[in-house]
Structures are given as C-alpha cells and as structure tokens.
Amino acid sequence: MIDVLVVDDDFRVAEINAKYVGKVPGFRVAARAHSAAQALAAVERGPIDLVLLDHYLPDRTGLELVHSMREQGHGADVIMITAASDVTTVQRAMRLGALHYLVKPFTFAALRTRLDSYAALRRTVDRVGGRGLTGQEQVDRIFGALRTAPAPSSPGLPSGHSEPTTDLICGVLHRAEHPLSAHEVAAETGLSRSTAQRYLRHLEQAGRLRLSLKYGDTGRPEHRYAWVAP
C-alpha cells in the first residue's frame, strides 16, 4: 500500500480528497493535516510515501513546506493540489521536485490518473532497480511512467453540473446524522440555495439520495435529503 498524507487548510476539501484517495486501489490515507506544521509533524512520524499538498496554508506555503522537508531529509514524494495556477508557483514546484500539479477544482478522474501514474512510477523504479539495470532505456521508462492521459469527463452528469460540486454535496450528506434541507446543504457548502436544490434533485433522481417530507404547522412541506448507502 502507498501511504498518503492529505494536506489542505479546508477541512471539507481535505475530507473529499481523502475519500478520493481511498477509492483508488493500492492507496490509503495515513494522515490528514490542515497546516504546514501539522504536515511536517505527520511526515516526521511517518511513514509517508506521498503528500497531496495544497499551496495556500495558514502558517506557510506548501512550497515552503516542501523546501523544509527536503532540508530535513524527508524524501516523501509530492503532488501539488491547489488553486495556485500562476507560472511562478508552478515553476517553483517543478524545481522542488513535485511530480504532478493539479489545479483546483478537479474531478476524481483527474486525480486518479495522477495517482495511477505515480503507482506506475513506483513499480517501474522497483522493477528497474531490482534488476540493477542502467542506461537511457531504463531512464526513459522511469520518466515515461509519469505521463498521464487526459482524464475522461463524467458522462452521468447533466449539462451545467460539475463533479467537484457533486462530490462536495455528497460529502456533506454522507457526514450528516439526519436528513438535510436544500437551505442547510447550501449553508454547509457555501453554494446558493437554488444551486444546491438543483444538484439535490438530480442526485435524488439518480438514486443517490432519499427524499422525505417534513410537515410543519402551515405552508408547504420541507424537502429533506438523506444519503443512500451504496
């Protein structure tokens, strides 16, 4: 198993990313961190093979964290997962040895292609290193293992719906201890009520949520949604 440290200052995003990791065979979440200090402590406790790292952290930037890790001799690999898309940050990440750079928002398929290519890299290194082979052909195999194909789109979503937003809403409902209304989902996710209602209606029609009605003293009943376990 490949042990992964998920680092993101947003608790909800970290949970979604951790669930993504858990869905990919061969990977498991060893720890989560919401600051550079927590992440460095987790790496020091080890063992951590791979860090999924946000750049915008409350105490230091993700790249400053990578620099500290390397100075202290920590060799965990890094995949950047961040909203930072400026050329300077991307270039610095490359120079510090980040293996991939995934810009938010992204889909599960996009992350999975990066994780699959990372797993392929580890297998290639083990295979080549185990035979003691050297030379350009073996080097090309190692570097070629990191190449990724474009991630496929999600065919099940209607027009105007995105997979990250769908996953965000599903995560809120999966954690909820009781059915939630569209208003409550909107408050938890930061989405507008109309957007939350649109996604909830689609998820209920797709069989991923269960709809119930809560009747008050007057007026129309309130629609409430609950997660349906697969």
Side-chain angles (χ1 to χ4, degrees):
M1 296 293 288
I2 296 173
D3 289 311
V4 180
L5 168 63
V6 176
V7 184
D8 199 292
D9 67 320
D10 189 314
F11 284 72
R12 292 177 298 178
V13 173
E15 182 168 350
I16 291 172
N17 291 349
K19 287 183 178 179
Y20 278 169
V21 172
K23 293 166 64 175
V24 181
F27 290 83
R28 65 185 174 195
V29 176
R32 303 180 199 177
H34 308 292
S35 68
Q38 290 178 3
L40 191 57
V43 171
E44 289 174 346
R45 288 194 303 268
I48 299 294
D49 301 306
L50 176 65
V51 182
L52 300 186
L53 181 60
D54 187 17
H55 181 57
Y56 298 120
L57 299 174
D59 46 354
R60 304 170 69 185
T61 68
L63 294 185
E64 289 173 341
L65 170 61
V66 177
H67 184 72
S68 295
M69 287 169 51
R70 300 300 179 241
E71 280 191 330
Q72 296 180 28
H74 300 302
D77 294 313
V78 174
I79 294 179
M80 298 296 297
I81 299 182
T82 177
S85 58
D86 60 283
V87 175
T88 300
T89 302
V90 174
Q91 194 173 49
R92 285 188 60 208
M94 293 174 61
R95 289 171 176 168
L96 285 170
L99 298 180
H100 284 298
Y101 198 107
L102 193 55
V103 178
K104 297 178 181 178
F106 58 90
T107 64
F108 167 65
L111 177 59
R112 177 161 189 167
T113 58
R114 273 69 177 182
L115 295 179
D116 285 343
S117 73
Y118 175 72
L121 170 66
R122 289 174 63 95
R123 289 193 299 268
T124 302
V125 170
D126 290 343
R127 185 166 58 249
V128 171
R131 294 197 303 237
L133 300 176
T134 58
Q136 189 62 52
E137 180 181 353
Q138 286 69 43
V139 172
D140 289 344
R141 286 182 188 175
I142 293 173
F143 277 86
L146 280 174
R147 295 175 187 154
T148 59
S153 59
S154 299
L157 293 179
S159 177
H161 288 232
S162 73
E163 188 167 343
T165 303
T166 300
D167 289 332
L168 179 62
I169 290 175
C170 287
V172 167
L173 286 160
H174 187 265
R175 296 191 304 270
E177 297 179 355
H178 53 77
L180 300 179
S181 66
H183 177 76
E184 290 169 326
V185 171
E188 285 286 332
T189 59
L191 300 169
S192 68
R193 186 185 182 282
S194 60
T195 298
Q197 183 65 64
R198 181 159 49 90
Y199 277 82
L200 290 168
R201 188 179 300 113
H202 165 69
L203 291 167
E204 187 267 328
Q205 292 172 352
R208 300 175 67 180
L209 301 179
R210 182 178 64 255
L211 172 63
S212 61
L213 300 179
K214 180 181 180 181
Y215 291 89
D217 296 333
T218 59
R220 299 174 60 186
E222 182 181 52
H223 288 203
R224 302 184 70 83
Y225 298 87
W227 179 256
V228 175

